[in-house]
Amino acid sequence: MDFSALRSSLSSFRDSANTFLSQFEPLALLALPLLTVFLASGIRSCLSYVSDKGLKNAVISLFMSSVKLIPGVRRYIDAEKQKVVDQLQSSGNSKRDSWLKELPLKGLQGGVIDKLKQEKSNDAPWQGKCSGTVYIGGSESEGHFSIINEACSMFAHTNPLHLDVFQSVVRFEAEVVAMTAALLGSGEKDSAGQICGNMTSGGTESILLAVKSSRDYMKSKKGITRAEMIIPESAHSAYDKAAQYFKIKLWRVPVNKEFQADVKAIRRYINRNTILIVGSAPGFPHGIIDPIKELGELASSYGICFHVDLCLGGFVLPFARKLGYPIPPFDFSVEGVTSMSVDVHKYGLAPKGTSVVLYRNHDIRKHQFVAVTEWSGGLYVSPTIAGSRPGGLIAGAWAAMISLGQEGYLENTEKIMALSKKIQSGIKEIPELFIVGKPDMTIIAFASDVVDIFEVNDLMSSKGWHLNALQRPNSLHICLTLQHVPVADEFLEDLRTSVHTVKANPGPIHGGLAPIYGAAGRMPDRGMVEDLLVNFMDSAY
């Protein structure tokens, strides 16, 4: 190689470059690279913002942010939002004026029980009137209620954090997890007896733990550090919470025409940073089971985690299948399912605050735990988000499952599945209404092309019913429980009357929330809707 020729070429290039750059100010030469980096960073941020929100939402958000810079506009918008919040709060503000602001000087001692009874009498009547909420049938003072109440009371002082002291509740937790897993495929050959889990405070904590464990498992397995997860838009809002808490990019994908997770659409979002996809059995909005088997195959083919939300279906679907209902695959028998969330405090008829998170094996579950070795308080390890946990609730869940047994759950499932068919038939007989999709279980969503469904909801509320208002499409749903078995005819009659009233006299009723629900659904700036919700929650306590 002729090095002299190479040196001559480099020297000539240097002279040419220096001659060209000599035309510019030294400060400009210094500033140009910095300006280029700044500009590139800005473009990248804009593209990332548009990618996250979509072009339409990004443009709307930018426009609204610009409008708010106009003097007086922000104050006007804030004032209007506060009006909406005040309407949502209705009479709550006056009630809060009587709330305690500090500890009483002298305690009530035993008289506090009378005070509790007085306050409880002010709660809204819920017996048979609420969508979901209370899943146990009958009266609070008898039957299954009395069993779990006594169990909770007996172990109210216990805490499974102290493994060596409260060995009873440690055993109860292990057995609740094992019994739940047995319903959901732990006996399958490919599970190899590895299915494991823990009890949590509810479905949200179960989902949070499953997401956190999936993130850390995929980091150790594939080295993923910029985690992303993909969920259908019908998936529970707990995944949004998990994405915020654990800094995971969330892709929420529209459902298909049957209101199920769209497998092809989810596939299009999978990339090298994907750690998790999600399915529900059934989904909360419409009570429809996602194509779990197809999603499992998708997860397996890409080597990613797959969580199934069984918070509603865990203690119904296994028994509905035994009763002969056409239930598609949904549990650990499906290859690719790596974790599940199952609420015991719903159709498991356990006390509120009890759920189970399950994993296919211990390799995944170990990423749920937090171990601390450098604390002056000693060595510390915790399995769930909470450190101390109420042993009374664990004992109550164990008591609920043991007292009912398989025969009890089978009998309850037979009642509520028959009730679901009856309610669906009754709704179909109201010509102004239609059922959203094809419900697989006990959650029934219904909408209308004839009347404002939110005005119907306001009238139902005036009759004491507490239903859930949905969007995309605007609809209502009722989650049927044992409380509804004796009041099915009353519900259908009140619904029929409410629909006919709205049809004959359209327009919001005084004090109703239909205008707010409708406006929120039509409001293009979703950030403003988010602000409304945050302001409402901030002023509620």
Side-chain angles (χ1 to χ4, degrees):
M1 178 179 288
D2 189 349
F3 287 103
S4 60
L6 179 61
R7 283 196 296 270
S8 176
S9 297
L10 289 174
S11 178
S12 176
F13 173 77
R14 183 188 63 187
D15 292 340
S16 299
N18 286 335
T19 299
F20 174 76
L21 293 174
S22 65
Q23 311 173 62
F24 301 96
E25 292 284 343
L27 184 61
L29 294 176
L30 181 65
L32 184 60
L34 296 176
L35 181 62
T36 302
V37 171
F38 179 78
L39 183 62
S41 177
I43 293 173
R44 180 180 177 182
S45 296
C46 289
L47 291 176
S48 177
Y49 185 75
V50 171
S51 176
D52 287 346
K53 287 185 168 291
L55 180 60
K56 179 181 176 181
N57 289 336
V59 170
I60 291 172
S61 180
L62 179 62
F63 173 76
M64 291 303 300
S65 297
S66 302
V67 168
K68 290 175 184 177
L69 295 176
I70 301 174
V73 171
R74 175 176 288 276
R75 289 194 300 273
Y76 174 77
I77 292 175
D78 289 342
E80 290 301 307
K81 285 193 294 188
Q82 189 57 48
K83 289 179 183 178
V84 175
V85 171
D86 291 342
Q87 188 174 351
L88 287 170
Q89 291 288 1
S90 60
S91 61
N93 292 323
S94 60
K95 293 179 180 178
R96 281 190 290 277
D97 292 339
S98 63
W99 289 5
L100 292 174
K101 303 298 189 297
E102 60 182 359
L103 194 65
L105 181 63
K106 185 176 181 180
L108 295 180
Q109 305 297 328
V112 74
I113 300 300
D114 292 331
K115 180 64 174 174
L116 286 169
K117 290 178 179 178
Q118 178 187 342
E119 291 299 324
K120 186 175 182 180
S121 68
N122 295 326
D123 289 345
W126 51 261
Q127 290 82 353
K129 290 285 187 176
C130 295
S131 173
T133 311
V134 179
Y135 291 76
I136 303 170
S139 166
E140 294 179 82
S141 60
E142 60 186 19
H144 190 76
F145 268 112
S146 62
I147 293 173
I148 63 171
N149 286 344
E150 186 170 353
C152 289
S153 174
M154 191 183 303
F155 289 86
H157 61 287
T158 65
N159 179 0
L161 180 66
H162 303 282
L163 299 172
D164 55 335
V165 180
F166 302 115
Q167 297 179 31
S168 55
V169 292
V170 173
R171 172 182 173 176
F172 293 155
E173 178 175 8
E175 291 186 352
V176 167
V177 171
M179 289 187 290
T180 304
L183 293 175
L184 302 171
S186 67
E188 298 291 329
K189 292 181 180 179
D190 61 352
S191 71
Q194 285 285 303
I195 294 176
C196 53
N198 288 92
M199 289 190 67
T200 71
S201 62
T204 293
E205 186 184 357
S206 291
I207 288 172
L208 289 174
L209 288 173
V211 172
K212 187 266 183 190
S213 301
S214 299
R215 183 199 65 178
D216 294 352
Y217 173 68
M218 293 302 291
K219 182 179 180 180
S220 69
K221 183 181 178 182
K222 289 188 173 183
I224 297 175
T225 57
R226 300 176 64 183
E228 300 181 12
M229 64 177 172
I230 308 164
I231 68 174
E233 65 180 11
S234 57
H236 198 276
S237 53
Y239 298 101
D240 296 80
K241 186 179 288 188
Q244 292 185 33
Y245 284 3
F246 304 134
K247 296 183 179 179
I248 298 171
K249 187 171 184 177
L250 178 69
W251 297 104
R252 188 176 280 274
V253 180
V255 293
N256 61 25
K257 293 180 180 179
E258 287 73 40
F259 297 94
Q260 294 177 305
D262 189 327
V263 180
K264 291 182 179 179
I266 289 174
R267 182 192 299 272
R268 288 194 291 270
Y269 280 84
I270 294 177
N271 59 51
R272 64 181 181 178
N273 291 320
T274 303
I275 61 163
L276 176 71
I277 61 174
V278 167
S280 304
F284 170 83
H286 312 117
I288 298 170
I289 298 174
D290 287 329
I292 302 301
K293 183 177 180 180
E294 290 79 1
L295 289 170
E297 293 171 352
L298 182 63
S300 293
S301 66
Y302 282 92
I304 57 179
C305 293
F306 174 32
H307 181 78
V308 178
D309 182 355
L310 272 163
C311 289
L312 279 163
F315 283 86
V316 174
L317 296 180
F319 301 104
R321 176 178 286 167
K322 286 185 177 182
L323 290 169
Y325 286 91
I327 305 298
F330 62 88
D331 57 16
F332 281 115
S333 63
V334 174
E335 183 181 0
V337 174
T338 53
S339 59
M340 288 185 180
S341 48
V342 190
D343 280 0
V344 197
H345 65 203
K346 289 189 172 73
Y347 292 103
L349 307 189
K352 289 300 178 185
T354 52
S355 179
V356 171
V357 57
L358 296 172
Y359 300 93
R360 183 170 286 277
N361 56 53
H362 292 267
D363 287 340
I364 305 173
R365 201 267 293 259
K366 70 180 182 182
H367 293 283
Q368 174 183 295
F369 303 152
V370 172
V372 180
T373 61
E374 304 306 309
W375 179 37
S376 60
L379 300 177
Y380 177 89
V381 62
S382 176
T384 62
I385 292 175
S388 293
R389 291 185 290 154
L393 296 181
I394 294 173
W398 184 89
M401 296 177 71
I402 293 297
S403 66
L404 288 167
Q406 294 189 38
E407 290 183 356
Y409 284 117
L410 198 65
E411 181 181 338
N412 290 337
T413 301
E414 188 171 22
K415 290 178 182 178
I416 56 175
M417 289 297 285
L419 174 65
S420 178
K421 297 300 179 185
K422 179 176 181 177
I423 296 295
Q424 289 183 56
S425 297
I427 293 174
K428 289 176 181 178
E429 291 175 359
I430 302 174
E432 295 82 4
L433 300 180
F434 64 88
I435 293 176
V436 179
K438 298 178 180 178
D440 289 302
M441 213 181 79
T442 52
I443 300 92
I444 304 166
F446 51 94
S448 177
D449 293 327
V450 179
V451 296
D452 186 325
I453 199 67
F454 296 139
E455 291 179 15
V456 173
N457 188 39
D458 282 342
L459 280 177
M460 290 293 285
S461 296
S462 71
K463 299 176 188 294
W465 298 98
H466 300 271
L467 307 179
N468 292 98
L470 313 175
Q471 58 181 351
R472 300 175 184 172
N474 289 349
S475 50
L476 306 177
H477 92 196
I478 182 168
C479 177
L480 298 168
T481 72
L482 292 172
Q483 287 285 331
H484 296 114
V485 173
V487 297
D489 292 330
E490 180 184 352
F491 169 77
L492 290 172
E493 180 57 32
D494 283 349
L495 180 60
R496 187 178 299 107
T497 302
S498 297
V499 168
H500 292 167
T501 300
V502 172
K503 185 177 181 181
N505 302 283
I509 65 173
H510 178 69
L513 299 179
I516 295 176
Y517 284 127
R522 293 187 299 271
M523 196 177 292
D525 183 8
R526 307 312 290 171
M528 187 175 293
V529 180
E530 183 179 323
D531 289 343
L532 282 173
L533 294 175
V534 171
N535 290 345
F536 167 70
M537 182 57 65
D538 187 49
S539 60
Y541 298 97

